[in-house]
Amino acid sequence: MSGDSSGPLPAPLSHRVPDLGALELLLAVARLGSLGRAARELGITQPAASGRVRAMERLLGVALVERSPRGSRLTDAGVLVTDWARKVVEAAEALDAGAQALRGRRDSRLRVAASMTIAEYLLPGWLIALRTERPGTAVSLSTGNSAAVAERLFAGEADLGFVEGLDVPAGLDGAVVGRDRLVVVTAPGHPWARRRAPLDPAELAATPLILRERGSGTRQVLDAALATHGGLAEPLLELASTTAAKAAAVSGAGPSVLSELAIGEELAARRLVEIPVRDLTLTRALRAVWPTGHRPTGPARELLGLTRSGG
């Protein structure tokens, strides 16, 4: 019976050839004729350079450099190894240049997906600040509810997302960048605007309201807050943007629950009236989100920093 003649597998290439730093040192010695000058050029000490050469000689099994009081010169084997090393270093330089080009292409664009309230009332200021830091970065913005933002991140269609709601959607990591309060509002002519006592949560739950669509952060918070009070009644209107819901409320169509960020001017001008509700907390976190394990890099990371620093 014949035995296995394949023999042991060779050691990995990284264990059999010098690393890039050693090859760069050898090329510098060949060019400068001095181990000391080569060490200074590469920013290392002469003892470290000598140790690196000795380690390279042990690895290859041949002498590469002859040292004398007049300087250092390559042996015949050293000349051959230097020629081969030059090709390796040139290939590494090509790899580095290519990687820089890829980073430059990545850093020249930023794709942001944001839920409606953040997109309308917070993102413009953040993006203006980012343009000051990165004037060459082209930004594209897609908007939708919090569920749609998560879908774009999972599909690789966005580099950074922003959502409103009770928690981070499954499969995403996040960081809180702000907080928001939801406010019950009506037009001044609505009967609720003349109430002296706060509204009862059960009455709010039983009243048809102008609402955002299911999947929005606003709807998620409201559903959760009123779950123990009978749940929300069928909507009077169900609209896909805060701006549309606000316009309907201002027109007198009915009461609504809107972000405090969105209604400051309308409250100040009395086009809308805030209706207090007893024993009901309607607050939510505003979050930047990204796929789990893939923390933002490049301009996405910079935008995240601006949101958290108040930029």
Side-chain angles (χ1 to χ4, degrees):
M1 181 185 296
S2 60
D4 183 2
S5 60
S6 60
L9 292 173
L13 190 62
S14 59
H15 295 173
R16 292 182 285 126
V17 298
D19 62 30
L20 194 60
L23 297 180
E24 286 183 310
L25 174 62
L26 187 64
L27 291 175
V29 172
R31 187 175 69 256
L32 300 172
S34 165
L35 189 61
R37 286 199 292 273
R40 286 193 295 274
E41 182 177 276
L42 297 178
I44 60 177
T45 65
Q46 184 161 342
S50 296
R52 194 172 290 182
V53 169
R54 286 194 297 271
M56 188 166 29
E57 290 174 331
R58 285 194 301 271
L59 182 65
L60 296 176
V62 294
L64 301 173
V65 178
E66 291 180 351
R67 304 160 189 81
S68 72
R70 295 186 300 277
S72 304
R73 74 173 191 86
L74 300 180
T75 64
D76 291 343
V79 172
L80 282 174
V81 171
T82 299
D83 286 340
W84 299 328
R86 188 171 290 109
K87 296 181 178 67
V88 174
V89 171
E90 287 172 353
E93 289 172 344
L95 173 63
D96 178 57
Q100 287 189 45
L102 289 175
R103 287 194 299 271
R105 187 169 66 183
R106 179 202 67 190
D107 292 351
S108 68
R109 67 169 186 171
L110 172 61
R111 300 168 302 166
V112 178
S115 53
M116 299 299 295
T117 301
I118 294 176
E120 290 182 76
Y121 300 101
L122 293 176
L123 254 180
W126 295 338
L127 293 178
I128 289 170
L130 180 68
R131 177 163 289 278
T132 301
E133 301 292 329
R134 285 180 172 267
T137 297
V139 179
S140 62
L141 172 63
S142 57
T143 59
N145 61 36
S146 296
V149 170
E151 288 174 6
R152 288 192 176 95
L153 288 166
F154 293 140
E157 297 170 355
D159 305 305
L160 186 64
F162 293 94
V163 297
E164 313 139 11
L166 297 174
D167 47 31
V168 178
L172 299 179
D173 288 337
V176 174
V177 297
R179 297 197 179 273
D180 184 27
R181 183 172 72 98
L182 301 181
V183 180
V184 179
V185 293
T186 69
H190 191 277
W192 284 0
R194 296 188 291 274
R195 291 178 64 108
R196 294 187 179 277
L199 194 67
D200 187 82
E203 185 178 354
L204 177 65
T207 301
L209 302 172
I210 300 166
L211 295 175
R212 287 289 309 279
E213 80 287 4
R214 293 187 183 277
S216 70
T218 300
R219 184 72 171 268
Q220 182 189 49
V221 171
L222 194 56
D223 279 335
L226 294 178
T228 58
H229 300 281
L232 281 167
E234 279 296 309
L236 177 66
L237 292 171
E238 194 172 61
L239 301 171
S241 78
T242 299
T243 299
K246 179 170 64 174
V250 168
S251 75
S256 186
V257 181
L258 297 169
S259 164
E260 190 173 36
L261 292 169
I263 57 174
E265 290 184 9
E266 286 74 17
L267 291 176
R270 294 284 297 175
R271 292 194 296 273
L272 288 175
V273 177
E274 179 177 351
I275 309 300
V277 184
R278 181 175 59 252
D279 301 327
L280 189 68
T281 301
L282 294 174
T283 58
R284 59 182 177 174
L286 309 178
R287 292 181 174 89
V289 290
W290 55 88
T292 298
H294 297 276
R295 194 163 180 84
T297 59
R301 178 179 179 180
E302 198 153 337
L303 178 59
L304 177 59
L306 288 170
T307 67
R308 301 183 76 182
S309 65

